[in-house]
Amino acid sequence: MLAIVLGSRGLRDFDSALVPYAAATVLLAFGVTYRYTSWVSGPAARRLFVQGWRTALSRTNLRAAPTALPRLALTYLGFQKFLGARSHARWIAHQLVFWGCLLAVLITFPLTWGWFTFTAASPQGPGYQMRLWGYRLFSFRQDSLLGWSMFHGLDLAAVLVIGGVGYFLWLRTRDRRAVTGQRFGYDFVPLIALLTVSVTGLLLTFSELALHGGGYEFLAILHMVSVVLTLIYLPFGKFFHIVQRPAAVGMQLFKDTARRKGEALACRRCGEPVDTAPAVANLRETMRELELGWDHGAEYCPRCRRVLRGGAYLDQVKRGFR
Amino acid sequence: MLGRTLFIDPGRCIGCQACVSACRECDSHRGTSMIHVDYPDAGHSTAALPTVCMHCEDPVAPCAEVCPAEAILVTADGVVQTADPTRCIGCGNCVGACPFGVPQVDPAQKLQLKCNLCYDRTSAGLAPMCATVCPSGALFYGTLEQLTTERPGVSVVTEFAFGEVVVSTGVAMVAPASHRGPVPGGLPLVEVNGRPA
């Protein structure tokens, strides 16, 4: 709220028509903070949170591998390379949704907070000036390519999102891997929400260009309602992965640092590498906190755990097969 | 009381890996097997042990408890689902915490892979792929009554002892009728047929 008041120069640049959007972003901030706090309070997430930040902010690590953090943030969070390993089609569809949503957020959030303003360059027109926090960034003409992009950025975002969401909706009705265990509220509602936001957004432009503004007011309310509900829903469903995903960067840094230092843990029975020693120690602490009494088992590889259980069955339950 | 579930009888397992092949064919995780067949007495006997997810009930799904991303869901029917690909960050905590050695992690996909009792099939009343193809009945899917009708005189165990700790599961092990108490979990180290494990 402080950012809205300061960024809009004491609400001077704040557009009262966008109040519901701005209010939804404030509710979103509260929701995300609440969900994030309850999430990182759990034993496993709390330890990962501490270890991840400790590794990321360690001066020694920053000196030893200065590019590790930006590289991971770009490849993992930006281009989501790991999704390409799952399926190329999934990667493309997710990239469309990701960049579409990011573009929409970068345009709408500052706009509804009153950070961006567009003012006429001169009384004669037809130029515009774009201002951030009241400071002039650049000027453009409405009929230039830049002007067109400025006014249709959200349409472009909607097209990207519709492409990606269309693929995921198709997947959710056809692919057994996706269909197994899917839930309407968790898996379908987010896709339907993104689709509704995008389609109603595009319809606003359609109304303006083809219908001379016909139905604009109704569409504007429908669009606003869909955006507001989506933002409020964000922390409590599938969309929360947007907030959770960066934890993977912390985890990767934590493990990569241990690997660089040669801190691998070998299986107590067969000697094969199990994981990095700090990761296993971290897991054992979590298991002890959860009162899972076999944390020493984490020092054996999964295969040895199975073989030992099979051996115990042979030895103590059903002797045979000699 | 056990409903329809999987019963594992290592005494019947001939180690043919048909279950592994069938699991790999399953539509919900094409190309990767979620079942493991191990030979605990390799070189000395033909003993083999198939391992699927045991669907822990008490403590409820340790893999889910240690998951930092809240990615593993336990459904109302007690099935511990494979990790939600949206949330799983591939940290491997579930791999380390599972006392049965079930989950795997694909580091490239940053994704956990685990048996979910063929949920696409079992939720529709079908048997899991592994039980469908098992030629020796080492993997039996059905109710306890159906099992004991076919195999009178066997006992069924859903408790595993890991040292002092006992884990109850939704998937059962078949044991000789004379067996009492939990099935040993194998940790700490034990002997196999008189030889060190």
Side-chain angles (χ1 to χ4, degrees):
Chain A
M1 284 167 85
L2 192 68
I4 292 175
V5 174
L6 291 179
S8 61
R9 300 191 297 158
L11 299 183
R12 241 186 303 165
D13 294 337
F14 190 78
D15 185 347
S16 57
L18 301 177
V19 163
Y21 291 102
T25 57
V26 174
L27 285 175
L28 171 73
F30 278 116
V32 166
T33 309
Y34 165 75
R35 235 342 236 116
Y36 196 89
T37 311
S38 65
W39 168 51
V40 294
S41 307
R46 191 182 67 244
R47 274 201 185 76
L48 178 63
F49 180 83
V50 171
Q51 299 288 10
W53 278 109
R54 189 177 289 163
T55 317
L57 301 177
S58 151
R59 257 189 229 165
T60 325
N61 292 340
L62 284 170
R63 265 200 300 270
T67 60
L69 183 59
R71 190 163 34 84
L72 272 174
L74 196 67
T75 57
Y76 192 93
L77 299 178
F79 292 101
Q80 300 127 22
K81 271 183 71 181
F82 64 101
L83 285 178
R86 296 181 188 182
S87 140
H88 293 308
R90 174 182 290 269
W91 177 75
I92 292 168
H94 197 272
Q95 284 281 289
L96 291 176
V97 174
F98 173 76
W99 290 108
C101 288
L102 194 66
L103 180 63
V105 163
L106 289 177
I107 294 171
T108 53
F109 279 40
L111 207 60
T112 59
W113 294 340
W115 286 13
F116 282 153
T117 44
F118 295 93
T119 50
S122 67
Q124 290 77 34
Y128 277 93
Q129 286 179 348
M130 184 179 165
R131 291 170 182 271
L132 174 67
W133 304 317
Y135 297 104
R136 192 166 69 87
L137 287 182
F138 55 85
S139 305
F140 61 91
R141 283 174 62 94
Q142 186 191 346
D143 49 4
S144 67
L145 183 65
L146 179 65
W148 187 91
S149 319
M150 294 301 293
F151 289 114
H152 292 279
L154 286 175
D155 290 331
L156 183 65
V159 169
L160 293 176
V161 171
I162 289 171
V165 165
Y167 171 79
F168 285 123
L169 275 174
W170 174 82
L171 204 69
R172 292 237 152 258
T173 55
R174 301 295 293 272
D175 186 78
R176 285 277 283 273
R177 196 187 312 224
V179 168
T180 301
Q182 70 184 358
R183 293 158 286 160
F184 182 79
Y186 188 76
D187 295 299
F188 276 99
V189 167
L191 293 175
I192 294 168
L194 287 179
L195 197 63
T196 312
V197 169
S198 306
V199 170
T200 53
L202 278 181
L203 282 176
L204 284 171
T205 305
F206 179 76
S207 158
E208 179 198 330
L209 295 179
L211 304 177
H212 305 291
Y216 196 93
E217 280 185 18
F218 171 72
L219 287 171
I221 290 173
L222 201 62
H223 183 65
M224 185 192 73
V225 169
S226 63
V227 171
V228 168
L229 290 180
T230 303
L231 290 180
I232 293 171
Y233 165 80
L234 191 144
F236 304 103
K238 192 163 201 157
F239 288 137
F240 191 61
H241 79 272
I242 301 164
V243 185
Q244 284 181 315
R245 271 282 152 197
V249 172
M251 178 275 294
Q252 200 68 43
L253 280 174
F254 177 45
K255 291 200 177 188
D256 285 351
T257 306
R259 275 191 209 104
R260 211 174 44 243
K261 292 177 183 168
E263 294 173 330
L265 184 88
C267 171
R268 282 195 175 280
R269 180 172 172 270
C270 71
E272 288 293 311
V274 175
D275 204 333
T276 63
V280 174
N282 190 51
L283 173 62
R284 289 190 66 177
E285 277 181 42
T286 303
M287 290 176 76
R288 279 197 286 267
E289 189 175 337
L290 291 166
E291 296 179 356
L292 301 173
W294 64 91
D295 63 283
H296 57 283
E299 296 195 342
Y300 294 83
C301 71
R303 185 181 160 273
C304 280
R305 265 177 264 167
R306 300 191 302 266
V307 168
L308 288 169
R309 190 164 58 85
Y313 186 88
L314 271 181
D315 202 44
Q316 297 169 36
V317 181
K318 194 170 186 178
R319 295 185 78 86
F321 302 108
R322 278 174 186 267
Chain B
M1 185 64 192
L2 286 168
R4 275 168 74 80
T5 191
L6 203 60
F7 295 89
I8 303 170
D9 188 348
R12 284 187 173 225
C13 182
I14 57 171
C16 68
Q17 305 249 358
C19 53
V20 174
S21 297
C23 187
R24 202 179 287 133
E25 295 292 318
C26 188
D27 246 355
S28 62
H29 47 82
R30 290 182 290 272
T32 312
S33 175
M34 306 290 176
I35 191 168
H36 310 273
V37 174
D38 298 286
Y39 306 92
D41 199 22
H44 300 283
S45 73
T46 56
L49 172 77
T51 301
V52 297
C53 175
M54 303 304 287
H55 302 282
C56 298
E57 290 182 342
D58 183 22
V60 178
C63 54
E65 288 194 44
V66 300
C67 176
E70 302 171 334
I72 303 173
L73 171 78
V74 184
T75 40
D77 46 3
V79 174
V80 182
Q81 298 288 346
T82 192
D84 175 358
T86 320
R87 290 194 169 177
C88 180
I89 57 171
C91 68
N93 267 11
C94 53
V95 177
C98 174
F100 300 100
V102 173
Q104 318 158 52
V105 162
D106 181 338
Q109 295 186 49
K110 298 273 186 295
L111 186 62
Q112 178 242 46
L113 304 164
K114 178 185 89 59
C115 156
N116 62 355
L117 202 69
C118 274
Y119 203 65
D120 54 332
R121 295 173 59 84
T122 50
S123 59
L126 298 169
M129 292 290 271
C130 55
T132 312
V133 300
C134 181
S136 61
L139 295 164
F140 178 93
Y141 183 75
T143 61
L144 181 59
E145 289 72 32
Q146 286 169 331
L147 179 85
T148 47
T149 307
E150 268 192 31
R151 304 176 197 181
V154 296
S155 82
V156 164
V157 186
T158 53
E159 291 189 326
F160 294 79
F162 294 92
E164 299 294 310
V165 185
V166 173
V167 177
S168 299
T169 59
V171 166
M173 290 284 275
V174 176
S178 57
H179 182 79
R180 295 284 175 271
V183 171
L187 289 170
L189 292 172
V190 291
E191 290 183 340
V192 180
N193 282 349
R195 290 182 301 277

